[in-house]
Amino acid sequence: MNPAPNLILVGPMGAGKTSIGRRLAERFGLEFTDVDQVVVERCGATINTIFEHVGEAGFREREKAALGQVLAETGKLVSTGGGAVLDRDNRLAMQRRGFVVYLRVGVDAQLKRLGRDRSRPLLQRGDREQVLHDLAATREPFYLEVADLMLDTDAMSPGAATTALAQLLAAQWQRSEQAA
Ligand code: S3P
């Protein structure tokens, strides 16, 4: 049993962090928080607009601030953006403040799931497949580094993934109420 005050989902775009996260939060009586959504609400702008105005680096600063604030709380199911693991402080904060689940997905499934998506600035280009391969090569080691548990979602619906995770978490995660 691994005690932690929050559950945290990491993984690439299209892994199902939001859809699985909402379902899991309900099962475990946790409050669902999507870090991207916190950034959008704080800035009063979409992720695309934030990238346009302050670039990826500016977005990462805002993402880091939002993640730090969310992780100071307890009893949360935290869905993180696919690039949140790039920052070392973010990775340390996640490990300190949560039981971290890596939702894995391969590029083929990502392309299917994100086919019509226009909300992710990193995918607003023609060579989506290459971009997704490159992001995976850079980020996979970081997802593995922070994760307490990994689930491959390639062939799973959000409902099936939630059921599988709920069983694994019941055996491996112990909710603790320790303050920040
Ligand atoms: C990003 C993933 C997005 C969002 C932003 C950047 C990334 O979140 O944070 O578009 O760098 O992979 P999701 O993983 O929830 O799509």
Side-chain angles (χ1 to χ4, degrees), residues 10-177:
V10 300
M13 297 177 266
K17 299 183 297 280
T18 303
S19 52
I20 295 167
R22 284 190 189 285
R23 289 171 167 84
L24 260 189
E26 208 168 294
R27 293 229 189 169
F28 285 91
L30 299 166
E31 188 188 339
F32 177 79
T33 302
D34 182 330
V35 176
D36 278 346
Q37 199 50 43
V38 174
V39 174
V40 165
E41 280 163 19
R42 278 189 175 186
C43 296
T46 64
I47 306 266
N48 275 324
T49 306
I50 297 169
F51 267 69
E52 262 170 45
H53 284 263
V54 294
E56 180 170 352
F59 170 76
R60 296 291 169 213
E61 281 170 24
R62 287 153 180 81
E63 176 180 54
K64 183 171 183 169
L67 180 69
Q69 190 190 24
V70 170
L71 289 182
E73 299 179 37
T74 64
K76 296 243 171 206
L77 184 315
V78 183
S79 170
T80 62
V85 293
L86 291 169
D87 184 280
R88 184 168 179 271
D89 296 335
N90 287 352
R91 297 198 299 279
L92 291 173
M94 288 188 218
Q95 288 176 307
R96 221 176 23 245
R97 296 293 301 158
F99 186 94
V100 184
V101 178
Y102 168 25
L103 295 179
R104 209 204 141 272
V105 63
V107 170
D108 288 348
Q110 277 181 294
L111 287 169
K112 279 190 201 131
R113 292 179 194 177
L114 299 169
R116 283 183 297 276
D117 182 81
R118 296 289 171 267
S119 67
R120 290 167 171 97
L122 296 178
L123 298 182
Q124 306 304 308
R125 31 192 292 183
D127 54 346
R128 283 183 158 206
E129 184 169 355
Q130 188 58 48
V131 169
L132 290 171
H133 277 296
D134 292 346
L135 290 176
T138 308
R139 296 171 175 186
E140 170 95 7
F142 295 135
Y143 295 135
L144 291 170
E145 179 189 316
V146 291
D148 294 295
L149 173 67
M150 182 185 68
L151 184 77
D152 200 322
T153 71
D154 262 359
M156 282 188 162
S157 68
T162 303
T163 302
L165 270 181
Q167 276 180 5
L168 293 165
L169 287 167
Q172 295 184 39
W173 172 54
Q174 186 184 17
R175 183 169 166 178
S176 72
E177 296 299 332

